[in-house]
Amino acid sequence: ANRGAPRKAPMAPARPILLCLALAALGPALGTKSAPRWSLRSRFRSSASKFIERRIEERVERRMFDYEAKDKRSLIGLLEHLKQLDFLADGAVSDDLIEIVLKSLDTPNVLRDFDATEDLLLNLVVGPDSGVIDQQALTSKNISDPAVDYSDRFENAFAWPHLLFPGVVTNGYDPTLVDGDVMFAAKNEVMNALFETPLLSNVVRYVFDVQEGALPVTPRDQGQWKPIPSLLNTNAYHPNDDDLGKRYDAVRQLRGLRQNIGLRELYRWPESVLKGDFDDESFAKFFFAGVGQGFLAAVDGHPDARVGERADGAAYVAALDHAASFDVRPGAGVYGGDTFFNADGTVSHIYYNGERYDPAGTLAGAGARAAWEGAKRRVRGSVIAITTLVDHLLGVHLHYSNSLAWAVPRLPPKHPLRRFLWAHVFNANGVNRKAAATLSIPGGLFARGWQLSGKGVTQAYEHAKANNPLFRWMTVPERFALQKIPAEMRLPLHEDGLPFYHAVEAYVGEFVDLHYADDAAVAADARPGGDVHRFWEALNEHQLNQDLPALDSKKALVDVIAAHLFYVTGYHTHVGSVHHEAARTGVAPSLWFEGDSLAGESGPPNAELWKDVTFARTASLRLPITGDTASTEQRRGFARKTGYQNPLPPDAVTQEEIRAVGYPELFANERERAANRRFVEAILDLQTDIIARNQERFDGGGGRVPAVCRPYNAFDANYVEMGVAI
């Protein structure tokens, strides 16, 4: 296959991988070798086969007292699948591969001090080879040349099914990646070759799907948090520590490896909140100034009739009670909860799992206040779970980014829209195919760190497809208008998000004007057989409801592209930067036991660590929207934020402003480059406005109600990237 001649980038240092047992095994071995000889021949090397079997027997016999027979069979079965991959058959990978795969037999139970059942796969993915977060942003040098024809490999690659989302598939070949670059520990050409064929899917399905290896949802299996001073040989370990690296160190008894998610923290909750006192005002801010904003709507005219019946005079609701119908793993509680707020944004009451809870403790019996706090905690956990599964993974990644990643490579190499959109689909297939292999698969990371069963995830998908406006075609302003939140509430998602959208819309409009004189020119390209028509066909085919309008006018073309770019850039930051809430036990637990008192601070250790693994995988930096790598690396842009931002870089007060670098190398002429530069300048002008608003929010000024008085950074240029690349 013709790989073309994309620009080469300096090779980055190898970064270990947190994908799954197979990919964790592949990464370190493949990342340091030349590309193997790839073919589709199905043959084994008998010497490799015997070596594998001998090493398995040695390891199992050494620790047989710790393993049931099914564990031995599972491991042998996995290696049998691995042998079918040609890189192993051709001998292109050293025996280190086998050592890495078998290492779980030598790794002690990482959660033994918390009385959890041993989890072989967890042992491997949090072991010493499990990796660090990349805190260095990428540049245009890391993007392949859009003018090269990659169609042969793209059209013939394996389409990876997202098994829990029927009908959703991702192309196994990512044409935007530069050969020679290293991402997730393996060279891009190696990862492309792995995912282009269905062979790897056999491995990951075996790892995750055959036995649904997630531990049962019981305290005996999941374990219980408790102080273990000996783990760090310093202070007692506290599971609420906000540094994910410290938690990993405590659990793994390792030093020197830091999974620092700090660059993905938009704004930190006060220490009092993080130590368990998530008071009612903070709870309201979680919805009116945080990730919960997307769930808010006016009670009046709400499509769910139960909302009106339960409102009891409340003005707004975050309606999640539908999630209570989603199937959960045996022994787990349910997600859900309708949370009602008064006209001033103060919390009124919650309906969760058939019970009403409120601050006054009207629930009969002792411990009503503890039950209220527990209900709030479960609602927060439900918000993060549904945000992660529906809005982030299914919505931004698989509805918007995935459809763009199918459509853009089908434009001709010299088409202006192809080079305009190329950076916005950078590594989109790369990250979404990994999601197909690890997240949207039965028994995968979501099934291990959260409480929905595979059936429940599919139910969530079907409900979102039928009911969630995110998956029906409309412009961003039209979707926000459906919430019926009055402008005087000054909801940050609207107050910052709409100007961001209009900046994107203006950028798309300017670029379309450069290449299409009028509506007739667009309509000509949108006729069957035209380039824009082929783009539309691919884009629409991979939308959940396939309801995109025809792109037969400049307005239609601008509206559709602008909406997609909004969701894969700033809105991706909104739904995808919940690391702070998710990694803090007690803020938003991912799993709790059926019938518990709702008063516990944390999900159990096994689920919590799987959740942390998942979020650690999504904390690396990619392409900053400004083109200035110092922006997302937080080396520029913070000097004007010292009055409110937390956390702040140590040198914030002396930092320079972000530079309007953009991506000039991707464009064909100065007019195109000027349009890109003006867009970056508009985003930086918006940052100035956001900084001013955030200071007002922090100070409680501008006539705002307390519920919205928390800095909000989802559309701040320091935190926004070009697309869904992580």
Side-chain angles (χ1 to χ4, degrees), residues 103-117:
K103 185 177 58 181
S104 61
L105 286 175
D106 283 340
T107 303
N109 178 2
V110 296
L111 290 174
R112 64 190 182 280
D113 290 293
F114 302 103
D115 303 325
T117 297

Side-chain angles (χ1 to χ4, degrees), residues 107-366:
T107 303
N109 178 2
V110 296
L111 290 174
R112 64 190 182 280
D113 290 293
F114 302 103
D115 303 325
T117 297
E118 186 156 30
D119 186 333
L120 290 177
L121 187 53
L122 187 63
N123 282 358
L124 187 72
V125 298
V126 299
D129 292 315
S130 63
V132 294
I133 293 166
D134 183 4
Q135 295 183 307
Q136 183 176 358
L138 304 182
T139 72
S140 59
K141 293 181 180 179
N142 300 102
I143 310 171
S144 69
D145 187 349
V148 171
D149 184 3
Y150 306 98
S151 59
D152 184 57
R153 294 183 70 182
F154 184 83
E155 298 297 340
N156 290 287
F158 177 61
W160 276 77
H162 295 264
L163 297 177
L164 296 178
F165 305 138
V168 180
V169 294
T170 292
N171 195 296
Y173 175 66
D174 193 324
T176 68
L177 301 178
V178 174
D179 285 356
D181 266 11
V182 175
M183 194 173 300
F184 296 109
K187 291 179 180 179
N188 288 336
E189 62 266 32
V190 173
M191 294 301 284
N192 266 332
L194 273 173
F195 279 95
E196 278 181 272
T197 78
L199 296 175
L200 183 60
S201 68
N202 296 332
V203 178
V204 298
R205 289 190 191 192
Y206 187 87
V207 171
F208 287 134
D209 192 17
V210 170
Q211 298 189 25
E212 291 235 13
L215 292 183
V217 182
T218 67
R220 180 179 180 275
D221 290 295
Q222 292 283 326
Q224 297 179 334
W225 291 114
K226 57 184 179 180
I228 309 292
S230 63
L231 289 181
L232 287 178
N233 297 318
T234 54
N235 297 322
Y237 169 61
H238 194 281
N240 279 356
D241 200 309
D242 69 322
D243 184 344
L244 192 56
K246 290 181 181 178
R247 180 184 295 177
Y248 276 21
D249 275 353
V251 173
R252 292 172 6 205
Q253 302 187 64
L254 295 174
R255 304 193 187 281
L257 177 59
R258 278 285 181 266
Q259 299 285 353
N260 185 355
I261 58 174
L263 296 183
R264 291 295 183 183
E265 284 188 37
L266 296 184
Y267 194 74
R268 184 170 293 177
W269 291 99
E271 283 303 310
S272 59
V273 168
L274 296 176
K275 290 180 179 178
D277 184 19
F278 212 108
D279 58 82
D280 292 351
E281 182 175 313
S282 298
F283 183 68
K285 291 178 179 179
F286 182 83
F287 283 96
F288 280 86
V291 66
Q293 293 176 81
F295 295 95
L296 285 173
V299 167
D300 186 28
H302 197 281
D304 187 342
R306 293 174 302 176
V307 165
E309 297 167 1
R310 295 173 168 182
D312 196 19
Y316 307 109
V317 64
L320 278 164
D321 197 51
H322 63 273
S325 65
F326 301 159
D327 189 62
V328 295
R329 295 156 61 188
V334 298
Y335 292 129
D338 285 349
T339 305
F340 292 87
F341 300 90
N342 299 312
D344 61 357
T346 56
V347 61
S348 173
H349 57 282
I350 294 170
Y351 272 90
Y352 171 80
N353 201 22
E355 297 280 0
R356 175 182 167 127
Y357 302 82
D358 63 36
T362 56
L363 185 69

Side-chain angles (χ1 to χ4, degrees), residues 638-702:
F638 281 83
R640 293 180 290 162
K641 303 177 186 178
T642 56
Y644 66 84
Q645 182 59 24
N646 180 26
L648 276 170
D651 63 343
V653 69
T654 61
Q655 284 191 4
E656 299 176 356
E657 295 302 313
I658 298 172
R659 299 172 184 173
V661 176
Y663 292 87
E665 299 89 346
L666 296 179
F667 295 102
N669 54 59
E670 184 52 38
R671 293 192 306 162
E672 292 181 355
R673 286 187 281 272
N676 178 245
R677 185 169 56 252
R678 279 189 287 272
F679 169 63
V680 175
E681 290 168 349
I683 295 301
L684 293 177
D685 288 342
L686 175 60
Q687 183 189 47
T688 295
D689 296 338
I690 291 173
I691 288 172
R693 284 195 286 267
N694 274 338
Q695 190 64 60
E696 280 191 347
R697 291 163 184 159
F698 181 82
D699 294 335

Side-chain angles (χ1 to χ4, degrees), residues 293 476-477 480 490-505 562 566-567 569-571 574 683 686 690 693 697 712-716:
Q293 293 176 81
V476 172
F480 282 178
R490 306 189 70 173
L491 195 72
L493 176 62
H494 296 177
E495 195 172 37
D496 296 352
L498 285 173
F500 183 91
Y501 169 76
H502 291 310
V504 172
E505 181 186 40
F566 172 85
Y567 286 117
T569 56
Y571 197 76
H574 170 71
I683 295 301
L686 175 60
I690 291 173
R693 284 195 286 267
R697 291 163 184 159
Y712 177 69
N713 291 310
F715 299 97
D716 183 310

Side-chain angles (χ1 to χ4, degrees), residues 13 99 311 362 421 442 451 478 509 593 596 626-627 644 707 723:
E99 292 299 320
T362 56
L421 294 169
Q451 59 202 38
E478 288 170 343
F593 301 117
D596 71 6
T626 63
Y644 66 84

